[in-house]
Structures are given as C-alpha cells and as structure tokens.
Amino acid sequence: MIDLIRETEKAGEIGIIGHIRPDGDCVGSCLALKAYLENVYKDREKRVTVYLEKPAEIFSYLKGYDEIDSEYTIRKLDVCFSIDVSSLDRLGEGLRLFQEADRSICIDHHISNNGLGDVNLIEPGASSTSEVLATLFLDEYMDAEVAKAVFTGIVHDSGVFQYSCMSRRSFEIVGKLCDYDFDRTEIIDETFYRKSYAQNQILGRTLMESILFMNGRCIAGAVNRKTMDFYNLGPKDLDGIVNQLRVTRGVEVAIFMYELHSLEYKVSMRSNGRVDVAKIAELFGGGGHVRAAGCTMNGTYYDVLNNLSAQIVKQLDPVQ
Ligand code: 5GP
Ligand code: MN
C-alpha cells in the first residue's frame, strides 16, 4: 500500500511517467493520477506533469491530455512516479527525469517488474495499473474525470473485462466507477473497437496470410514496413491483431510482429493460459504478463518464429 497524499504533500514538482508507445492503460493511469492529485491539491501550488510519447488522438477526451509533455522537458522533480512501466528501458526519454528525482515511486502490475523506484507497488494479479491506482484513491477526491481515466485503463488492459485478470475486486472497482456520470459505452466503442478502413484492411490481410503450426497450437502473423507504408499506418494501428489471432480455435499461443527496421521485429505474444509468454519474452529482453507479453527481436520473420517456437515447445511438450 502507498499513501499517495503522504508521498506527495511536501512536493512542489511532481512527475508522472508512463512507458514508451503508451497503450490505453498507460494513458488512463497516468492521467487518472494527475487528475486525482490535482483534486487533492486544488488550492495549493503544485505542478503535476505527465510525460508520455504523444498518445493516440482517441484518448483526447481525457482530462490533462493536452497538457502531456511529450518533449520530456527536464525539471528537478521532488517526486516522480513510473506508472505501468515494467522495466527502466521502457521509460524511454523519461529515464533521466525518473532517476534524478528526489524520490521515485513505481506503481505497476507487470509480473516481470522487479521494482524500479525507492518505493514500489507492483500487483501482478491486478487487471491493470489503473486498477492498482484506484485502490489508492480516496472517494472524497474522486470525480468523473478521474473515473473516466481509470475506466479507460481497465477496459484496455482487460480486453473490455474479458481476460482472466479481471477479479472480483476489478469488477467492484468498475462498479463504483458507474456512480460517476460519463458515457461508458462510448469510451469502449470509440477507443477499443472502432477501426479505420485501413486498419481493418491490414487486420484482414494479416489474418489471411497468418500461419498455423505446431499442430494448430500456434499461430503467427506479421506486418512488414512496406505494407505499413502502403496503408500509411503506424504501430498504434496494429493493436488488436494479436487478439484476433489468439481466438483461433485450438491455438495456445498467438504471435504477432511488425517490422521496426530491416531484420528487427517488435513481437507481441498472447497465450490462452498453458504457456507463460512473459517468461519467453523475458528470455529475449522483453517482459509482460503470463498471457500477454512482448519483446524486440532480431533476424528475419522466420528466424524470430523459430526462436520463439523452440521456447513454446519447451513449455507445451516438456521432455519427461
Ligand atoms: P503488447 O503485446 O500489447 O505490446 O504488450 C503486451 C504486454 O507486454 C504489455 O503489458 C507490455 O507492457 C508488455 N511488453 C510488450 N513489449 C515489451 C517489451 O519490449 N519489453 C517489456 N519489458 N515489456 C513489453
Ligand atoms: Mn498495463
């Protein structure tokens, strides 16, 4: 447990840093914490800055979105939070700010996180970092803006409440968020399900060209640079492809990758529970959760697949 007020009451400059290529939970949790602290310190002189690579426009309805510092302006921070960040390299340009702060506080839910701060709260069982934060928020400082941001984070990291990481506590927190006045359906539709025509096209292409192997227990799909350029799409537009691969009947592990540079791929893995993909991602310098993890790997598409399948086989068919 962390007492957010005790940790911040003497601080004038507070920083909140999320991970590179921020997803819905990262954006939601960073902005939830900012909005909450601003409610706590309404009339007091404090600056709370969120540092993030520019998040997708779809999240612009969240309070504080326009004030995000994507330039990572160097300031001497009294307290700096790392939020939803599983390892120091995932802080990107925020690393220096975090390391030079007088006090650093790490709040996260990644099983691979060993604790990055002076104070650490890591709950691998939580659906999202937004959920972890919600357990620290006092009702008197909650409002619809904080609730919206927490809701967004939980929705995104749980696949709209679908994954096994949703516990009774997660649902109870979501239940309490329903007391605040905001359009939940619109958030789910507009930020999770809505796709542009081009996004749907690249999803369709990737599914069509996907390969099924290891007796149907593994599926893989990839997008190369040329295809991304052709559709004029970036990495953020590829969210959700790996989840569609995962629901293929019979599949234990789904692998999706896109080309970062020649012979370098960003890999996303999803498991249906039998394989711990965080363990595999960690072997290749990445991390994540048992059922959802990622890493960056070198080589051709087939090199990467071979290296990953060797590890998946070890878990699915352990030598007796
Ligand atoms: P995604 O596949 O959606 O990008 O990520 C799934 C999970 O794995 C997320 O929780 C994310 O934080 C984690 N993850 C993805 N890529 C990396 C990586 O390169 N390094 C680490 N440490 N974690 C990653
Ligand atoms: Mn998260």
Side-chain angles (χ1 to χ4, degrees), residues 231-251:
Y231 289 104
N232 192 22
L233 294 175
K236 280 182 206 141
D237 299 303
L238 310 175
D239 280 356
I241 297 182
V242 70
N243 292 323
Q244 194 56 45
L245 290 168
R246 179 187 71 83
V247 294
T248 310
R249 185 161 290 128
V251 159

Side-chain angles (χ1 to χ4, degrees), residues 47-280:
R47 181 156 54 186
V48 185
T49 311
V50 171
Y51 300 91
L52 277 179
E53 285 176 2
K54 194 170 167 28
E57 265 304 305
I58 49 170
F59 298 116
S60 61
Y61 62 91
L62 293 173
K63 186 182 170 211
Y65 177 90
D66 293 328
E67 294 155 31
I68 290 172
D69 184 344
S70 300
E71 305 291 317
Y72 294 84
T73 311
I74 291 293
R75 289 194 182 98
K76 181 74 192 141
L77 298 171
D78 299 311
V79 175
C80 185
F81 290 89
S82 75
I83 297 294
D84 201 39
V85 181
S86 53
S87 52
L88 287 175
D89 58 304
R90 306 258 303 155
L91 281 164
E93 285 187 55
L95 180 64
R96 193 173 144 200
L97 280 160
F98 186 70
Q99 288 184 325
E100 290 180 1
D102 280 345
R103 192 165 172 81
S104 56
I105 302 177
C106 166
I107 301 178
D108 188 27
H109 71 128
H110 292 92
I111 197 164
S112 54
N113 190 333
N114 301 316
L116 315 179
D118 301 323
V119 184
N120 299 285
L121 176 62
I122 297 147
E123 290 190 12
S127 66
S128 53
T129 301
S130 299
E131 173 183 334
V132 180
L133 277 178
T135 65
L136 307 178
F137 291 166
L138 303 175
D139 288 348
E140 58 187 299
Y141 302 115
M142 285 292 294
D143 65 9
E145 297 301 334
V146 179
K148 253 193 245 179
V150 171
F151 184 83
T152 301
I154 297 178
V155 161
H156 277 258
D157 257 22
S158 68
V160 194
F161 317 128
Q162 166 191 176
Y163 303 148
S164 60
C165 59
M166 283 297 293
S167 64
R168 180 191 180 121
R169 184 185 79 174
S170 325
F171 281 110
E172 280 167 357
I173 289 171
V174 174
K176 278 174 78 174
L177 299 177
C178 295
D179 289 342
Y180 298 91
D181 185 24
F182 64 93
D183 193 335
R184 299 187 297 275
T185 307
E186 185 175 321
I187 289 180
I188 294 171
D189 253 3
E190 291 302 324
T191 71
F192 195 88
Y193 289 115
R194 185 81 58 220
K195 298 261 180 257
S196 67
Y197 180 57
Q199 283 174 321
N200 268 335
Q201 281 183 302
I202 209 161
L203 164 71
R205 251 183 89 152
T206 311
L207 297 178
M208 201 169 69
E209 291 163 4
S210 65
I211 51 179
L212 202 58
F213 56 106
M214 285 171 58
N215 286 326
R217 293 178 301 172
C218 255
I219 191 166
V223 171
N224 60 30
R225 277 248 69 95
K226 226 171 84 189
T227 312
M228 278 163 86
D229 291 345
F230 176 79
Y231 289 104
N232 192 22
L233 294 175
K236 280 182 206 141
D237 299 303
L238 310 175
D239 280 356
I241 297 182
V242 70
N243 292 323
Q244 194 56 45
L245 290 168
R246 179 187 71 83
V247 294
T248 310
R249 185 161 290 128
V251 159
E252 292 292 344
V253 178
I255 301 168
F256 170 70
M257 62 186 101
Y258 64 85
E259 203 178 3
L260 287 169
H261 307 283
S262 169
L263 298 179
E264 190 183 11
Y265 284 91
K266 177 76 196 136
V267 174
S268 282
M269 287 181 281
R270 295 293 183 271
S271 154
N272 283 326
R274 281 186 59 197
V275 173
D276 178 348
V277 287
K279 223 158 132 185
I280 299 174

